Amino acid sequence: MSIFRIAHLSDPHLPPPAGAFGWRDLASKRLLSRIAWRRKHKEHQPDVLAALVADIKTYAPDHIAVTGDLTNFASTVEVEAARHWLNGLGASDRITLSPGNHDALVGATGPERFAAWSDWLGDGDEVAFPRLRIRDGVAIINLCSAIPTAPHLATGRLGQAQLTRLEALLADPAHRDLFRVVLIHHPPTPGAVSRRKSLDDREGLGAILARQGVDLVLHGHAHEGLVATTPGPDGAAIPVLGVPSASALGRGKHPAARWHAIEITRDGADAVSVRVIARGLDPQTGDVAELGRYVLA
């Protein structure tokens, strides 16, 4: 019997350091995000995030999955600050980051824009997504839905090239016997977020998952604790889990900060069980505590 434990957190929205917003940004989408941050920054607290990170380190997972939105304006100084935060989170080969829409607010559209975070995106020197990591019988497949969008939009898109590579990866017999976990920022299921925040090519991704199958999908973006499914091969249901923001006080419209411990237990070639333990900020005490647990069918 072997147990592989993943800690999933998302949307930390690290506080912008000095110089994150300049006069040149007055003519870009960053201005709208700056206005929104002035309204929302009290909800995202560094000490809340620090408490969650300390709790994760106490749990000592085998791997940490971060599903995006480390930054707010995608500025150069924010990207570097996020790199410093990732360094403090743990060894880069035990952390996988799927970038979010705030991490690609403006600028280049290609995957090279995330070069500063390359060590946390996947193994090998490949630039294009999906990126792959294989750990103790678990394949971590990292997708990137983060793209620059027009003002007032927070949609995501994988693009046909990434979808084509994903299908080839999932069809590879070398990965068929692994427990396959997909990381993506935008929810791949309908209704999780509004249309202006949705994944543009959700149906294309869904078709690939229905043909090739995976075992679990983890996402962020919605700032909610979500449990859903998407169709897999032969009528099977693929679990899709989302977590709230890892820095949220929970005093707005979204719940307080939370992370999920995902324990994948393999007993022989076919017997696999997955237990999810939700841990987060207890609004009554202000401490990080267990909020509930369940087993995925």
Side-chain angles (χ1 to χ4, degrees):
M1 178 183 295
S2 65
I3 301 177
F4 188 82
R5 304 184 305 164
I6 298 175
H8 176 211
L9 70 155
S10 195
D11 299 78
H13 289 282
L14 301 171
F21 185 87
W23 65 269
R24 292 183 179 87
D25 298 318
L26 294 173
S28 78
K29 187 179 177 180
R30 285 192 179 119
L31 176 60
L32 294 177
S33 287
R34 173 67 172 175
I35 294 171
W37 179 250
R38 287 173 66 91
R39 185 180 70 252
K40 296 185 298 185
H41 76 279
K42 291 182 180 179
E43 173 67 5
H44 296 283
Q45 292 295 315
D47 57 339
V48 172
L49 177 59
L52 252 68
V53 168
D55 195 53
I56 289 171
K57 289 184 177 181
T58 298
Y59 176 73
D62 299 294
H63 206 83
I64 299 175
V66 186
T67 48
D69 278 0
L70 274 64
T71 71
N72 297 283
F73 317 132
S75 64
T76 301
V77 293
E78 279 186 297
V79 169
E80 183 56 34
R83 179 182 172 85
H84 179 75
W85 180 79
L86 287 166
N87 270 321
L89 189 58
S92 61
D93 63 346
R94 298 180 66 178
I95 302 168
T96 301
L97 165 66
S98 179
N101 58 291
H102 276 273
D103 304 321
L105 200 68
V106 298
T109 58
E112 63 277 358
R113 69 172 293 129
F114 303 113
W117 297 341
S118 180
D119 291 347
W120 293 273
L121 301 179
D123 291 342
D125 299 324
E126 180 65 53
V127 174
F129 290 89
R131 301 286 297 273
L132 174 67
R133 282 184 153 145
I134 298 176
R135 302 287 189 273
D136 194 21
V138 176
I140 300 167
I141 301 162
N142 191 18
L143 302 181
C144 181
S145 60
I147 56 167
T149 58
H152 304 293
L153 290 180
T155 51
R157 186 184 309 118
L158 296 170
Q160 189 55 53
Q162 185 175 179
L163 288 173
T164 298
R165 288 190 293 269
L166 173 64
E167 180 138 36
L169 189 156
L170 294 178
D172 188 341
H175 307 134
R176 280 292 183 182
D177 293 333
L178 301 175
F179 187 95
R180 300 184 295 182
V181 181
V182 167
L183 307 185
I184 185 172
H185 179 66
H186 290 78
T189 51
V193 291
S194 65
R195 186 173 179 180
R196 74 175 189 88
K197 296 182 178 181
S198 63
L199 182 66
D200 287 343
D201 43 11
R202 175 180 57 80
E203 292 183 356
L205 173 60
I208 292 172
L209 297 180
R211 285 192 296 268
Q212 303 296 340
V214 297
D215 298 287
L216 179 63
V217 179
L218 305 178
H219 71 83
H221 191 49
H223 290 210
E224 300 279 356
L226 299 176
V227 181
T229 62
T230 191
D234 303 321
I238 300 170
V240 179
L241 307 181
V243 289
S245 164
S247 60
L249 275 173
R251 296 177 181 173
K253 64 179 181 178
H254 295 297
R258 189 186 308 173
W259 69 276
H260 287 164
I262 299 164
E263 300 180 347
I264 304 162
T265 302
R266 300 170 66 95
D267 189 2
D270 300 317
V272 180
S273 65
V274 181
R275 181 172 68 169
V276 181
I277 304 171
R279 294 187 60 83
L281 194 66
D282 185 331
Q284 301 299 320
T285 66
D287 298 325
V288 177
E290 181 174 327
L291 306 176
R293 59 176 63 197
Y294 52 92
V295 175
L296 296 178

